[in-house]
Amino acid sequence: MKDLFEKIYRDKGPLGKWASQAEGYFVFPKLEGQISNRMKFQGKEVITWSINDYLGLANHPEVRKVDAEAAAEYGSAYPMGARMMSGHTSLHEKLQDELAKFVSKEAAYLLNFGYQGMVSTVDALVSKDDIIVYDVDAHACIIDGVRLHMGKRFTYQHNDVESLEKNLERATKMAEQTGGGILVISEGVFGMRGEQGKLKEIVELKKKFNFRLFVDDAHGFGTLGATGAGTGEEQGVQDEIDVYFATFAKSMASTGAFIAADQEIIDYLKYNLRSQMFAKSLQMQLVIGALKRLEMLKTMPELKQNLWKIVDALQSGLRERGFDLGTTQSCVTPVYLKGSIPEAMALVKDLRENYGIFCSIVVYPVIPKGLILLRMIPTATHTLKDVEETLNAFSAIRDRLQNGTYKRLSAAVAAAMGE
């Protein structure tokens, strides 16, 4: 018999194997200072493009005041216990009601965390006889939820409606045999590429196939739609989304999430969501803080306007300089470059140390070999000066990538990695 830990000693995983070269700088970096457009990294000020504080609420004085008052009044423990037992309050209900109205659904239910909430919701919505059809580029929380499913599941090619239709045909035949139903899962905005899910086209397929649609709108909530109610509102199909999910960790700059649907569906879910039934309730300071953030989102359209001023300036500036942003249709701003992992590490170090630009780096195995993805998240706290400095820096590092500077600098890194 093998030692359980033998595989861990032998294989650290596709990302973990780079830990000795990357940890503390490229992964698990320590940003310091108040959440803002400019923070400190290893003692130096950097323009920060990796914080999901879309609307700039994390350090808004009104938000900080309400958060502090709630913490002073209730502490960080109240209410104690799971919602079903002793952790339910009228303010939890108030937040749910206001969220439901905002996203045009009959009812909503609070989740302690987006990731665990998504996993648990997928698990609760389907039985072993049901079939799940989901986008191949779905977020890890969706994939982990699907892994719990005891029945059949199919993936369709990313945002490919023809592929979805073919898989719905397969799923329909199987559901007729099992006596189950079909759940289609898409993201509202795909967080890595920035593309909106083709919700309008997916909804159109309801005329041909019998399925329910579950949408993860983490990056769309607060940033898209006339009122900020998300991708469904943006595409005019919010009514056709059967179960709507959003997190507080992006536009709301907090912790928690919610699902929204018809009243009967929410009633079922709140009695069957294991991650909520057997977990402590979302603490009061977060509930009160979320109420304030939602109020500001609804009554201060200038927050979203300021965000999109920066998004448009950054994305148009990058495109004018010939950068490849893929097909983003959201605030998420991916910049694709060609190069190896060692070159990517040299490039990012140059950006941070010499240009004061901090953004997230994504390489293989998350994206194909030979590609470098620099992912930027604009926020309402960024300035046009931040944008201009970043555009100039990106032009400089691209020149160095193309003339082989980073290849030469990374030779030692490549040798250490055995590449």
Side-chain angles (χ1 to χ4, degrees):
M1 178 186 297
K2 289 183 178 179
D3 179 356
L4 176 68
F5 290 169
E6 182 180 336
K7 60 182 180 293
I8 297 174
Y9 301 138
R10 185 177 66 252
D11 183 4
K12 303 298 183 185
L15 296 177
K17 66 180 180 180
W18 308 118
S20 61
Q21 294 92 356
E23 190 164 326
Y25 195 93
F26 301 102
V27 295
F28 298 102
K30 302 180 186 73
L31 283 167
E32 298 175 332
Q34 292 194 356
I35 296 171
S36 184
N37 59 317
R38 293 180 183 245
M39 298 176 69
K40 289 284 186 69
F41 178 63
Q42 297 198 340
K44 296 181 180 180
E45 183 182 83
V46 291
I47 302 173
T48 312
W49 295 104
S50 62
I51 303 295
N52 291 320
D53 181 25
Y54 282 122
L55 300 179
L57 295 180
N59 271 302
H60 194 287
E62 291 186 42
V63 166
R64 290 286 295 264
K65 181 175 182 292
V66 168
D67 285 352
E69 290 173 349
E73 181 174 357
Y74 292 99
S76 60
Y78 182 82
M80 287 299 294
R83 291 281 295 281
M84 293 184 74
M85 299 299 181
S86 56
H88 186 63
T89 74
S90 59
L91 286 176
H92 285 73
E93 289 182 342
K94 180 181 179 182
L95 178 56
Q96 288 172 172
D97 291 344
E98 293 194 10
L99 286 165
K101 289 175 185 175
F102 185 61
V103 299
S104 301
K105 295 298 179 187
E106 285 184 1
Y109 194 64
L110 291 179
L111 308 171
N112 291 356
F113 295 98
Y115 199 108
Q116 67 161 201
M118 172 59 70
V119 170
S120 193
T121 302
V122 174
D123 178 49
L125 284 172
V126 292
S127 68
K128 64 180 179 60
D129 295 328
D130 300 321
I131 294 88
I132 297 176
V133 183
Y134 65 106
D135 192 296
V136 70
D137 276 4
H139 190 271
C141 64
I142 295 173
I143 294 171
D144 284 352
V146 171
R147 283 174 174 169
L148 292 178
H149 180 41
M150 301 298 289
K152 192 70 176 176
R153 81 288 301 261
F154 299 112
T155 57
Y156 62 92
Q157 295 302 308
H158 174 60
N159 254 354
D160 187 328
V161 178
E162 184 178 340
S163 175
L164 170 58
E165 186 167 1
K166 288 179 180 177
N167 280 284
L168 280 171
E169 289 172 354
R170 298 167 67 194
T172 298
K173 290 178 182 177
M174 186 159 290
E176 288 171 350
Q177 296 174 357
T178 64
I182 300 171
L183 178 67
V184 172
I185 309 176
S186 175
E187 293 188 51
V189 172
F190 289 86
M192 198 63 67
R193 304 186 191 208
E195 296 168 328
Q196 292 181 33
K198 293 189 176 179
L199 305 186
K200 194 170 184 178
E201 291 87 345
I202 294 173
V203 163
E204 190 66 19
L205 289 175
K206 284 188 171 185
K207 296 176 181 177
K208 187 174 179 180
F209 300 96
N210 183 17
F211 65 87
R212 294 293 186 172
L213 176 60
F214 184 17
V215 173
D216 173 354
D217 205 25
H219 288 273
F221 179 78
T223 68
L224 293 175
T227 69
T231 314
E233 181 182 55
E234 177 80 11
Q235 298 186 23
V237 294
Q238 186 72 357
D239 289 347
E240 296 295 328
I241 296 173
D242 297 294
V243 181
Y244 178 88
F245 164 94
T247 176
F248 299 159
K250 307 292 190 293
S251 289
M252 299 270 271
S254 186
T255 299
F258 72 97
I259 47 174
D262 290 347
Q263 183 70 60
E264 194 166 354
I265 305 305
I266 294 299
D267 287 343
Y268 171 82
L269 287 172
K270 71 183 184 181
Y271 282 91
N272 291 277
L273 284 171
R274 295 175 64 81
S275 68
Q276 307 309 305
M277 294 168 64
F278 303 105
K280 182 183 179 299
S281 175
L282 195 67
Q283 58 261 49
M284 187 64 82
Q285 66 189 91
L286 294 175
V287 172
I288 292 173
L291 280 164
K292 179 60 179 179
R293 289 161 170 81
L294 182 60
E295 174 197 324
M296 294 173 70
L297 200 158
K298 291 189 291 186
T299 61
M300 298 173 66
E302 63 270 23
L303 295 172
K304 188 160 74 77
Q305 291 166 6
N306 290 340
L307 165 65
W308 277 96
K309 179 179 74 174
I310 299 301
V311 173
D312 291 339
L314 179 64
Q315 293 186 357
S316 62
L318 287 165
R319 287 191 173 105
E320 286 167 6
R321 294 177 185 230
F323 284 95
D324 179 9
L325 307 190
T327 54
T328 183
Q329 303 159 304
S330 69
C331 302
V332 178
T333 305
V335 178
Y336 297 92
L337 300 166
K338 292 182 180 179
S340 65
I341 291 177
E343 284 177 295
M345 295 171 77
L347 179 154
V348 168
K349 189 168 186 178
D350 194 18
L351 260 184
R352 294 178 182 178
E353 299 299 326
N354 299 315
Y355 294 95
I357 306 295
F358 188 101
C359 60
S360 299
I361 173 178
V362 183
V363 294
Y364 179 82
V366 180
I367 59 174
K369 278 187 177 180
L371 280 182
I372 301 168
L373 170 58
L374 300 177
R375 178 177 175 264
M376 292 190 286
I377 302 293
T379 75
T381 63
H382 283 102
T383 66
L384 294 178
K385 183 175 184 291
D386 295 335
V387 171
E388 190 61 28
E389 287 185 31
T390 301
L391 293 175
N392 292 334
F394 269 60
S395 292
I397 59 107
R398 179 178 56 187
D399 290 344
R400 293 186 176 191
L401 180 65
Q402 292 175 345
N403 68 25
T405 298
Y406 296 135
K407 184 171 288 187
R408 292 189 293 274
L409 289 172
S410 63
V413 177
M417 291 181 173
E419 291 199 352

